[in-house]
Amino acid sequence: MNVSSRIALILPLVSLISLNCHADEKAVSITPVGSVGDQPAPEFLDLTKTIHAAIVKKAAEQEAGEMKAYTETAPEAEDAEFEMLPIPGGTFTMGSPEGEEGRKADEGPQREIKIEPFWMGKVEVTWDLYRQFMDNENLNYVTRNKNGSLNRDNDRQTPEPNKAEGDETLVDILSQPTAPFHVMHFNMGNGAGYSEDYPACSMTQHAASKFCEWLSAQTGHYYRLPTEAEWEYACRAGSKTAYSFGDDASKLEEYAWFRKNARIDAVYEYEYQPVGEKKPNAWGLHDMHGNVAEWVIDSYQTSYAKVPNGTLNPVQLSKDRYPRVVRGGHFEMDADGLRSAARHPSHPSWKENDPQAPRSIWYHTKARWLGFRIVRPAKIPPVEEMHLLWNTGPGEL
Amino acid sequence: MNHDSENNTRRSFLKKASAAAAVTPILGVPAIVNAQNMGSKTLKVGLIGCGGRGTGAAVQALSADENIQLWAMGDAFSKQIESSLKQLKKFGKRSEVAAERQFSGLNAFQQVIDSGVDVVLLAAPPGFRPQHLRAAVEAKKHTFAEKPMAVDMAGVKSVLESTALAKKNNVAIQHGFCWRYAPSTRAAYGKILNGDFGRVTSIYGTYMSSVYKPIPKDAVKPKGMGDVEWQVSWWTNYEWLSGAPILEQSIHTVDKIAWGMGDVAPIAAVGTGGRIQRDDPSNVYDHYNVSFEYPNGVFCQLGARQFSRSHTEVIDRIFCEDGSVVGPGQPRAIDGNGKTTWRYRPEAGAEQNMYQVCHNEFFADLRAGKINNSGEYMANSTALAILGREAAHTGKRITWDKLFKSDEDMAPDSLKFEDSFAIAPVPVPGKKS
């Protein structure tokens, strides 16, 4: 599909991705299917513009070249490091064939999907990277409004303008989680609190997106959640089988932590495991199958019927908070749920153990098997797209 | 820190009220009589304290069965009622509360109780709990009371008297020590108390979290606002309202120590604590380490703190002769070699949300004419946390018996929003306050 017909497809769907912005239309890297409704989070748009400008500037200063694997440091996460692997662009068949064992109806109809190049986290986001964002603690006891903005008027219900004051940095004023009453790592991992190399868990999709914004602001690179198509493309790594390594589920133990092998048998061995211990797929990605399930951006639609064949990086959007999509299955699931094409819709019950009303927009208190990994598109999209994909919104609380 | 000079302190109120109640045996109307009108009637619920937790409790009450109507609401601040109602909209007519039954101010609790309700949910700051519980029980309302039950020993004694009065009045008291309702911890503590792992030899429980709703350093009371209104609006920061973090938050861990020990009385506590990170205008400690001494040489340790940028954990380790149990999340037992010998597996289809279990059981029992009363162990767990706090405050070894001789009452019940009310100084061990 050429660019102009792609744009024609976009326009009736999302007016957000406007053509009169400074970036040229080729930079639009997703094809929205459906809409989140009105422009999301207008109160944060200025912040997105600031971050976008910094990312564009940094890219201009760097020489373009071949995409390579790299390691990045997050200064605001006590210099935690994370590795990003290049994922080449290409075309793949999304969804599973009807004969696949364990297949569900929502994995079709199969679609030919085009994907542009991006980098993807070699492993799931770990606590050592996520923790500082989640706690956003400071010795001055600055508190956050309900929407995550800095609380300046001592009323947490009302958000205030997002302008830096005094020595505050851009990162300080970004929306970040409110302080939890209970510890939200649920003593997972090594059993004694935050466990650096275990996947961060139990966050909402909104929290994961805001983390990406926070990480982008401090690194100058554009990070976001993967689209569902990007995720499956990366998981398959060229394969067409049920799992990235083939159809034989008996080999899954070599590649994944799931119900069969993630059992506890020692004091500090909990159900999920440190990232990167199992074999990677053909593109070097670990734990795409199992360990924690991974957020993608998309809302959950019961099929791919609305996604035309040949679409470039589709993302199915909805203004509804539930259901959204998680992928890859997790340590409490059986093999079927870990297949490359398997999709899992989110549900309000994932917040069930939150005793407060309204429930927090940041935590899925009951989904301790839920995590995410990040991507970085090779092309920097227009500011509107960047904003949209960081703000598909907390939605209904 | 005493305010005994007031005429109407909680303590003097107690003396005047009903000394008889405390010794009344469990009699009252036979439960079956009660059941006849409770089984299918619409139960009218009054919510007292409409913050996040109170609203959450209302959600659980309304979810417990179809025949429950939110009838009245009360909060110190009317704004809270508005936002609470918004959260409850999904229940449609069942959460529509007529404007004349929405009450604000410090007397709202009495107005809710007097509005024709059958059941009240108490979720105001804990400093008010004994007063609210007393009023509810005297008016013969079945009551759900959030934790903790009190912030001082005058309050604990009041709760014990209300407990006895509730038995006499044949009304139920349900508590909010949520882990006592979690299917997972019930299974674990059931096995511990059954002796499956041998005798409990020690417990180490932690509640090490970050700082929850601190008062900003630069917070300034608006001109014309009374001390009391200001402090109530920042209630977690003041001991007379929240009891401090050891009562307001780590009481969950304290309560599980009590549970693991079979809710028997301890002998004494020794502890340390203080304010090492906090320099805001609150008067609460930010950390405590307490050793609770129990009969037969069993010691139970509590490690509790609210620190920024530090290790956090909330873990109970119950050491038994034949292994130990680790919880509260996914509880399991391990033997001396670290091998897991038991772990909890959720029962398919069983309600796992402990907050919902609490209300499901509360209302189901009411419907069935079962009048439960958990006031005594609620009061004991609260007193256990006070024992730890006072040991840390004073630097002394405080015995359980001595604690119950204390009539400390941090604030009179008669306070009004506009009153001046100086914040008590932060206790320094060894120094008389």
Side-chain angles (χ1 to χ4, degrees):
Chain A
M1 184 185 280
N2 63 34
V3 169
S4 59
S5 62
R6 227 186 78 225
I7 295 299
L9 177 72
I10 295 165
L11 280 177
L13 297 169
V14 172
S15 55
L16 251 181
I17 312 295
S18 64
L19 296 178
N20 58 4
C21 64
H22 62 90
D24 75 36
E25 65 261 50
K26 275 184 292 191
V28 177
S29 63
I30 57 156
T31 305
V33 178
S35 159
V36 298
D38 297 337
Q39 184 190 65
E43 72 276 22
F44 295 136
L45 183 58
D46 283 347
L47 290 176
T48 308
K49 286 179 178 167
T50 307
I51 302 167
H52 184 267
I55 290 170
V56 168
K57 183 164 174 276
K58 181 162 180 166
E61 288 163 0
Q62 287 175 342
E63 276 179 50
E66 196 190 337
M67 285 174 68
K68 287 183 186 144
Y70 65 95
T71 298
E72 181 127 87
T73 301
E76 300 290 332
E78 296 182 343
D79 289 336
E81 293 183 341
F82 57 100
E83 275 184 82
M84 299 297 292
L85 302 182
I87 306 296
T91 298
F92 83 112
T93 306
M94 187 171 183
S96 55
E98 284 187 12
E100 186 171 302
E101 206 181 320
R103 179 188 197 261
K104 291 191 178 146
D106 64 357
E107 296 167 24
Q110 283 184 299
R111 290 288 190 249
E112 293 301 303
I113 298 296
K114 286 198 268 185
I115 298 289
E116 293 196 312
F118 60 95
W119 286 270
M120 188 176 229
K122 181 180 175 179
V123 296
E124 291 152 342
V125 170
T126 54
W127 280 122
D128 66 350
L129 192 56
Y130 192 71
R131 187 219 162 135
Q132 291 301 331
F133 166 75
M134 178 166 117
D135 285 350
N136 73 85
E137 295 170 329
N138 53 80
L139 294 175
N140 292 321
Y141 295 144
V142 175
T143 57
R144 297 269 164 184
N145 292 306
K146 292 279 183 197
N147 75 344
S149 61
L150 278 179
N151 179 11
R152 301 186 189 287
D153 63 358
N154 298 334
D155 179 350
R156 296 181 315 117
Q157 308 294 334
T158 56
E160 289 95 51
N162 298 288
K163 296 267 185 256
E165 291 175 9
D167 56 1
E168 287 164 1
T169 65
L170 174 64
V171 174
D172 292 335
I173 63 173
L174 295 177
S175 173
Q176 290 167 52
T178 46
F181 185 82
H182 195 275
V183 295
M184 301 310 285
H185 51 61
F186 302 106
N187 312 302
M188 295 271 289
N190 64 16
Y194 288 104
S195 305
E196 292 79 358
D197 53 350
Y198 282 75
C201 68
S202 309
M203 72 294 290
T204 58
Q205 186 203 42
H206 174 69
S209 277
K210 286 284 139 186
F211 167 84
C212 292
E213 177 187 54
W214 177 83
L215 191 63
S216 302
Q218 63 187 280
T219 58
H221 290 141
Y222 171 48
Y223 294 105
R224 61 163 165 78
L225 290 178
T227 65
E228 186 169 13
E230 283 168 340
W231 192 95
E232 184 170 331
Y233 175 67
C235 176
R236 290 185 174 279
S239 70
K240 293 183 172 174
T241 43
Y243 305 96
S244 59
F245 53 83
D247 286 318
D248 184 2
S250 71
K251 283 172 73 183
L252 192 57
E253 285 188 67
E254 297 171 35
Y255 293 85
W257 294 109
F258 64 119
R259 195 175 200 140
K260 200 169 170 193
N261 62 358
R263 63 182 181 275
I264 312 168
D265 52 21
V267 184
Y268 292 126
E269 214 169 315
Y270 279 51
E271 291 177 276
Y272 78 171
Q273 304 292 334
V275 296
E277 292 204 336
K278 292 292 184 184
K279 285 186 187 169
N281 70 11
W283 290 348
L285 301 163
H286 292 268
D287 304 310
M288 294 296 284
H289 302 302
N291 216 11
V292 286
E294 300 178 14
W295 277 120
V296 296
I297 291 176
D298 297 53
S299 67
Y300 176 84
Q301 305 299 325
T302 52
S303 80
Y304 299 131
K306 288 182 199 151
V307 182
N309 251 319
T311 309
L312 180 85
N313 206 10
V315 54
Q316 301 210 71
L317 298 175
S318 164
K319 64 177 169 42
D320 298 328
R321 167 80 337 216
Y322 299 102
R324 302 275 168 103
V325 182
V326 301
R327 287 299 211 118
H330 56 77
F331 61 79
E332 284 186 354
M333 279 188 169
D334 291 320
D336 276 358
L338 274 66
R339 288 175 303 107
S340 301
R343 312 169 68 211
H344 304 286
S346 68
H347 192 271
S349 66
W350 294 4
K351 284 188 183 176
E352 209 164 65
N353 291 355
D354 185 340
Q356 304 269 330
R359 285 170 171 166
S360 172
I361 62 174
W362 304 100
Y363 304 104
H364 276 303
T365 45
K366 209 180 175 185
R368 48 193 200 93
W369 35 259
L370 175 61
F372 68 106
R373 83 176 70 211
I374 54 175
V375 298
R376 175 184 165 199
K379 283 195 298 198
I380 302 168
V383 67
E384 289 84 353
E385 180 184 310
M386 197 177 273
H387 187 71
L388 171 68
L389 298 187
W390 281 339
N391 294 283
T392 53
E396 166 223 338
L397 297 174
Chain B
M1 225 184 278
N2 282 332
H3 301 275
D4 292 345
S5 53
E6 294 284 336
N7 252 342
N8 197 22
T9 65
R10 195 171 289 143
R11 188 174 63 172
S12 57
F13 171 76
L14 281 178
K15 281 181 194 151
K16 278 183 283 179
S18 46
V23 291
T24 303
I26 309 162
L27 283 171
V29 188
I32 188 70
V33 176
N34 207 293
Q36 285 167 356
N37 52 29
M38 292 295 279
S40 59
K41 84 175 232 184
T42 296
L43 290 175
K44 293 175 182 167
V45 169
L47 174 61
I48 295 170
C50 304
R53 180 71 271 273
T55 307
V59 168
Q60 284 125 25
L62 288 164
S63 307
D65 78 50
E66 284 293 315
N67 240 345
I68 291 166
Q69 171 72 42
L70 184 61
W71 185 252
M73 297 169 89
D75 195 282
F77 304 102
S78 61
K79 206 169 74 174
Q80 284 292 350
I81 299 175
E82 273 170 49
S83 57
S84 179
L85 274 171
K86 239 183 262 169
Q87 294 305 320
L88 298 169
K89 265 202 176 129
K90 62 178 173 183
F91 293 98
K93 282 206 167 354
R94 296 206 290 130
S95 63
E96 276 174 19
V97 177
E100 67 267 23
R101 291 193 303 274
Q102 298 174 22
F103 307 103
S104 59
L106 290 182
N107 266 328
F109 74 95
Q110 194 63 56
Q111 293 167 291
V112 170
I113 289 167
D114 295 340
S115 69
V117 293
D118 304 296
V119 175
V120 291
L121 313 176
L122 303 185
F128 297 118
R129 192 92 66 243
Q131 181 190 17
H132 292 181
L133 181 66
R134 164 66 60 142
V137 167
E138 282 187 339
K140 301 188 177 173
K141 307 300 176 193
H142 303 292
T143 305
F144 164 77
E146 249 308 337
K147 45 59 46 180
M149 302 312 302
V151 298
D152 49 31
M153 285 311 291
V156 168
K157 290 176 183 179
S158 167
V159 168
L160 285 170
E161 292 196 9
S162 295
T163 300
L165 185 61
K167 287 174 184 165
K168 181 172 169 243
N169 285 353
N170 203 33
V171 289
I173 300 179
Q174 179 79 326
H175 65 84
F177 289 111
C178 50
W179 289 104
R180 300 249 186 176
Y181 304 104
S184 56
T185 38
R186 276 180 167 176
Y189 285 76
K191 288 179 80 67
I192 293 166
L193 295 174
N194 193 42
D196 288 9
F197 310 111
R199 196 172 55 89
V200 176
T201 56
S202 177
I203 297 176
Y204 174 45
T206 54
Y207 208 122
M208 299 181 178
S209 69
S210 47
V211 191
Y212 183 66
K213 293 186 183 172
I215 183 167
K217 285 181 199 175
D218 60 355
V220 179
K221 177 165 71 76
K223 276 217 170 81
M225 185 187 278
D227 289 343
V228 172
E229 180 172 3
W230 174 247
Q231 289 163 27
V232 171
S233 71
W234 288 104
W235 65 273
T236 55
N237 294 276
Y238 301 109
E239 212 147 66
W240 73 273
L241 284 158
S242 71
I246 195 171
L247 267 296
E248 205 278 316
Q249 186 178 54
S250 35
I251 189 142
H252 285 296
T253 300
V254 173
D255 177 57
K256 280 175 277 138
I257 288 175
W259 193 7
M261 293 307 298
D263 293 305
V264 303
I267 294 168
V270 172
T272 55
R275 284 162 69 88
I276 200 160
Q277 273 197 351
R278 290 187 87 142
D279 56 355
D280 58 9
S282 67
N283 74 338
V284 295
Y285 276 15
D286 59 13
H287 67 282
Y288 309 84
N289 273 287
V290 180
S291 180
F292 295 102
E293 181 184 346
Y294 277 88
N296 304 320
V298 174
F299 285 80
C300 299
Q301 317 294 324
L302 169 74
R305 67 185 191 193
Q306 292 183 340
F307 278 3
S308 275
R309 304 183 77 90
S310 302
H311 170 75
T312 60
E313 62 164 66
V314 178
I315 302 178
D316 303 300
R317 300 176 198 278
I318 301 97
F319 302 98
C320 307
E321 288 169 308
D322 305 329
S324 53
V325 175
V326 185
Q330 293 69 50
R332 66 205 183 286
I334 50 180
D335 68 13
N337 299 315
K339 193 175 173 299
T340 298
T341 56
W342 172 82
R343 70 163 300 201
Y344 173 73
R345 285 282 183 197
E347 218 176 287
E351 174 63 63
Q352 297 292 320
N353 175 356
M354 56 188 173
Y355 307 100
Q356 193 58 52
V357 171
C358 168
H359 284 265
N360 287 354
E361 292 183 355
F362 179 40
F363 285 98
D365 284 347
L366 286 181
R367 296 284 188 205
K370 258 176 83 180
I371 303 299
N372 291 324
N373 185 323
S374 52
E376 273 171 34
Y377 75 71
M378 285 156 40
N380 278 338
S381 287
T382 302
L384 191 62
I386 294 173
L387 182 73
R389 185 189 65 197
E390 295 307 309
H393 279 181
T394 60
K396 293 184 164 51
R397 177 177 180 270
I398 299 183
T399 63
W400 187 247
D401 288 344
K402 190 168 179 206
L403 181 76
F404 274 84
K405 292 196 175 88
S406 159
D407 282 321
E408 186 185 27
D409 187 348
M410 291 184 177
D413 285 345
S414 56
L415 284 178
K416 295 184 174 55
F417 264 176
E418 58 273 23
D419 287 350
S420 301
F421 193 66
I423 290 305
V426 176
V428 177
K431 212 169 149 184
K432 228 180 156 130
S433 61

